[in-house]
Amino acid sequence: MLGAAVAVGLAALSAAPPIDLEVDLRDAPSGVVHARLVIPARPGPLTLVAPKWLPGDHRPSNAVAELASLAVTAGGRPLAWTRDPVDPYAFHLQVPRGADRVEVALDQLAPPAGQGSSAAGSSFTSQLGVLGWGTAVLVPAGVPAAEQPVRARLTLPRGWKASTALPIAAREGEAMRFAPASLELLVDSPVLAGRHLVELPVHAPGAPPHLLVVAAESEEALAIPAELRGDVERLVAEAGALFGAYPFASYRFLVTLSDEIVFSGLEHHQCADMRMPERALLDPVARRTRAGLLSHEYVHAWNGKSRRPQGMATADFQAPPDARLLWVYEGLTHYLGWVLAARSGLGGARLPDSIAVAAQGMASTTGRAWRSLEDTAAAAQVGYGARSEGAYARRSVDFYWEGALVWLEADARIRRESRGARSLDDFVRAFLGGRSGGPAVSAYRVEDVIAALGKVAPLDWAGFLEARVVRARPEAPTAGIEAAGWRLSMSETPSSLQAAQERVLGSFNLEASVGLYLSDDRVVDVVPGSPAARAGIPPGAKLVAVNGRKHTRQRLEDALRATERGGALELLVESGERFRTHAIAWRGGLRYPVLVREAGVPDLLAAVAAPRTVAAVHAPAP
């Protein structure tokens, strides 16, 4: 039985007295956010908490680490506070007799680069920024977030505009006063603000109002191509066709374009917070690598927000979540993000290209031999902060990519067993769709996932998931590719997606050949057991020279191609204070992953990627 739906907003509020919150962003361009709170209280002990586990972030917030000032008063008199000795997010104080409220004043640092911050954190530059409300509040402990009313007011820097899904009650000069909302809804409604900001309507038949909201470092970066706007309109239409309903009254794609803010995306019920480089939408090549973030975060409105694993549907922001079902929350979202991007033509997406890159990455991850997919989800809170070096051996947050490949296999199995009559679309519509309107949360367990799959196709889904998710599985996760009528192969040239990724990221992905992943001249990681690993090249080293000449990407490419003709491949690397030349035994040239058709097997990827609406007829086929 599915978990009961819980409204997110005023409908769920109890008689808890409201908190008044004022946030002042006038110093945010300098990296400081000021907040003032008036919190109803009774005389006696009071514990205030900073939200720790913000939804969608999958790791603890760093808000308490960025506090620059904290003062608590009652009736104008300062109150002493002490931090809890075991919970740094909790602050204890004593409310004096006769007081019915406490006033809190805090300053929160919002570093422009976002270093050390989570995706839910606030980030600002001199021209723009994103306010995550959860990083600017302290609230009474023990009150469910859906039951704590907040009356918020926000002051912007002069000349800035702002956009948010939070209902606005009034505009007061440079300030915005919002309608009372639950703490849950407030935290779920970030504010995108900036000197250069535009709201563009997104039209799709039968869909509620949508806006593409863009804030950029310059006015020039706001020249959003008509092609992209058309892609987003088709994305909205295709999502409606897939899910059968829209679980929100309106929706905003909040896009921050800045080279000073770290790339990230975070889902919300009625919006998505997406932070990209300044030219990510203008440059067609950059758009090829970044546009998929729009489809991924949009899918989360259904999967992750409206429907959520029971262990992640916590009552407040202090309880740690049980993240073992992130292979559904993020893995299924990643797969559906690929699918909807292909169906809508978003950024020129091609489904086989995305699958090939993910499959090769997982095939190179030797950590799959000792560590299960479910374990990467259970350890997500430490996985996000892990260093890049050693990720092939250690595994990372693989519930995105391998999770997507598991769902591809499920889709292909359903299509084959039903001879094309049914697909994963039927599961998605029944399990994630079906309800339109304002935000609400309906929780599920893994048993609910298995039961819903069984209604679409009577297969041993419990055994299927046990083998692929719960147990370590060293073999390459290509069964879904093969079931769909394709196979993972190699090419001397990169796909358009791989070429775009390497140009935009400054990377050189050689995991399919010598087993290196490079970022400019840095050896990010080395595939265990690969030719580069056998030659002794350590992760984290700096590549200095190729065959006796100073390293450039072109010289490395030329040397790799020459290995097919017997050419040498000797790399001089700097590691710590040591320099060493490593001779790599390799005769395979350049190799890039690619999917090729399997003769005599129906092409199911073409069916998966086929548009479902007239609005998406221009979406490219695989």
Side-chain angles (χ1 to χ4, degrees):
M1 181 177 178
L2 299 180
V6 178
V8 178
L10 285 176
L13 297 184
S14 70
I19 294 172
D20 287 312
L21 167 66
E22 290 196 16
V23 175
D24 187 343
L25 297 182
R26 284 176 290 186
D27 287 333
S30 300
V32 182
V33 174
H34 307 291
R36 303 291 183 269
L37 300 101
V38 178
I39 303 173
R42 294 176 179 178
L46 174 65
T47 298
L48 300 178
V49 292
K52 182 178 183 180
W53 295 93
L54 296 172
D57 211 12
H58 312 322
R59 54 182 162 174
S61 163
N62 74 320
V64 294
E66 297 293 350
L67 275 175
S69 174
L70 176 61
V72 184
T73 60
R77 295 186 176 185
L79 299 181
W81 55 265
T82 57
R83 195 188 298 261
D84 189 274
V86 296
D87 182 2
Y89 294 81
F91 302 83
H92 304 297
L93 55 100
Q94 192 76 20
V95 181
R97 290 182 180 180
D100 61 359
R101 67 190 63 190
V102 296
E103 296 85 34
V104 176
L106 63 87
D107 290 342
Q108 183 77 24
L109 301 181
Q115 294 181 355
S117 67
S118 62
S122 299
S123 290
F124 289 89
T125 73
S126 64
Q127 301 297 309
L128 53 75
V130 181
L131 170 67
W133 294 99
T135 63
V137 296
L138 292 179
V139 296
V143 180
E147 299 178 9
Q148 176 59 70
V150 181
R151 297 182 297 220
R153 187 175 184 271
L154 177 67
T155 301
L156 299 170
R158 184 175 297 277
W160 282 34
K161 296 175 282 187
S163 184
T164 176
L166 196 65
I168 299 172
R171 295 183 182 271
E172 303 163 346
E174 302 291 340
M176 308 165 70
R177 182 162 51 82
F178 299 96
S182 70
L183 176 65
E184 185 170 17
L185 182 60
L186 179 79
V187 169
D188 199 49
S189 306
V191 179
L192 176 60
R195 197 171 303 280
H196 313 287
L197 182 147
V198 64
E199 295 183 335
L200 303 172
V202 175
H203 303 291
H210 283 65
L211 289 174
L212 175 60
V213 185
V214 183
E217 291 284 353
S218 64
E219 198 69 25
E220 292 75 18
L222 293 182
I224 307 303
E227 175 187 355
L228 176 63
R229 293 184 65 180
D231 289 351
V232 176
E233 289 180 344
R234 289 189 291 272
L235 170 64
V236 172
E238 284 295 315
L242 173 62
F243 295 105
Y246 295 92
F248 41 75
S250 63
Y251 192 88
R252 296 169 190 244
F253 298 91
L254 302 177
V255 181
T256 306
L257 297 178
S258 173
D259 294 334
E260 300 178 49
I261 292 180
V262 170
F263 176 82
S264 67
L266 190 67
E267 63 273 12
H268 300 280
H269 276 283
Q270 300 179 107
C271 66
D273 168 11
M274 297 166 287
R275 309 176 193 187
M276 307 182 189
E278 185 172 352
R279 293 187 58 81
L281 301 184
L282 293 181
D283 183 342
V285 176
R287 194 160 67 242
R288 180 75 177 84
T289 69
R290 304 301 192 186
L293 186 62
L294 277 76
S295 58
H296 179 97
E297 300 303 341
Y298 189 47
V299 169
H300 268 316
W302 290 264
N303 186 31
K305 301 306 295 185
S306 179
R307 297 302 314 279
R308 197 177 306 171
Q310 191 170 64
M312 302 180 74
T314 53
D316 60 27
F317 303 132
Q318 310 314 119
D322 177 350
R324 286 176 295 172
L325 288 181
L326 278 174
W327 57 271
V328 184
Y329 184 121
E330 294 290 3
L332 178 56
T333 294
H334 207 61
Y335 177 64
L336 297 179
W338 286 345
V339 170
L340 287 179
R343 291 178 183 177
S344 61
L346 186 64
R350 295 183 70 253
L351 186 57
D353 293 349
S354 300
I355 294 172
V357 171
Q360 180 59 52
M362 291 297 94
S364 300
T365 301
T366 60
R368 302 174 65 259
W370 68 272
R371 188 177 179 196
S372 71
L373 175 59
E374 182 181 67
D375 187 65
T376 70
Q381 61 176 293
V382 295
Y384 282 101
R387 59 195 180 96
S388 301
E389 295 87 352
Y392 288 121
R394 186 183 61 243
R395 298 202 74 165
S396 182
V397 287
D398 295 342
F399 42 82
Y400 287 92
W401 306 284
E402 188 157 355
L405 294 172
V406 168
W407 286 104
L408 165 65
E409 186 179 358
D411 197 355
R413 281 191 167 214
I414 294 170
R415 291 173 186 272
R416 292 183 68 174
E417 289 293 327
S418 67
R419 300 183 183 275
R422 310 212 79 184
S423 72
L424 194 69
D425 286 25
D426 298 290
F427 163 80
V428 167
R429 191 181 186 99
F431 193 70
L432 301 176
R435 190 196 63 81
S436 293
V441 178
S442 180
Y444 61 83
R445 303 160 302 164
V446 68
E447 292 84 358
D448 300 317
V449 177
I450 293 169
L453 284 168
K455 291 179 180 179
V456 176
L459 302 173
D460 179 14
W461 293 110
F464 174 88
L465 296 175
E466 172 74 21
R468 289 155 182 78
V469 176
V470 180
R471 296 202 301 263
R473 198 168 181 234
E475 62 269 22
T478 59
I481 297 171
E482 292 147 10
W486 297 66
R487 61 182 171 86
L488 182 64
S489 185
M490 295 296 151
S491 171
E492 295 180 354
T493 57
S495 67
S496 60
L497 173 61
Q498 293 167 299
Q501 288 175 334
E502 294 191 348
R503 199 203 80 173
V504 171
L505 300 176
S507 62
F508 196 5
N509 189 342
L510 302 174
E511 62 187 13
S513 54
V514 295
L516 291 175
Y517 189 95
L518 304 173
S519 178
D520 296 322
D521 61 0
R522 175 173 165 256
V523 179
V524 176
D525 204 3
V526 182
V527 177
S530 67
R534 292 195 296 270
I537 297 178
K542 178 182 178 182
L543 181 53
V544 178
V546 180
N547 290 342
R549 298 189 68 186
K550 181 179 178 179
H551 163 253
T552 66
R553 181 190 171 104
Q554 189 61 58
R555 285 172 182 160
L556 180 55
E557 282 190 22
D558 292 344
L560 280 163
R561 289 193 180 93
T563 61
E564 290 186 298
R565 303 185 300 275
L569 183 60
E570 295 184 346
L571 304 182
L572 173 64
V573 304
E574 177 185 356
S575 181
E577 296 183 349
R578 304 283 182 179
F579 291 83
R580 182 182 172 188
T581 297
H582 302 262
I584 300 179
W586 175 249
R587 293 292 180 265
L590 274 171
R591 297 180 69 187
Y592 288 93
V594 63
L595 296 194
V596 296
R597 285 281 294 116
E598 196 71 80
V601 182
D603 180 4
L604 299 186
L605 289 189
V608 171
R612 300 295 189 266
T613 69
V614 175
V617 292
H618 299 296

